[in-house]
Amino acid sequence: MTLGENIRITRLELSQMIDRYERTVQRITNSLVEKGFIERIGNNRFGYWDVK
């Protein structure tokens, strides 16, 4: 499963899937947002990831 297949996945769920710490996933997602590959739509609780 990828982020594009499950846009409502949490960082915790993603970290468990790839066997990495949640903080590592946070750094990676922040980097992808800065580079424009993904965007967070909505708030943290009810939002989702938009994969460009």
Side-chain angles (χ1 to χ4, degrees), residues 5-17:
E5 294 170 349
N6 183 5
I7 59 175
R8 298 204 183 274
I9 195 167
T10 65
R11 287 180 176 156
L12 177 61
E13 293 169 335
L14 188 56
S15 68
Q16 292 170 347
M17 284 176 42

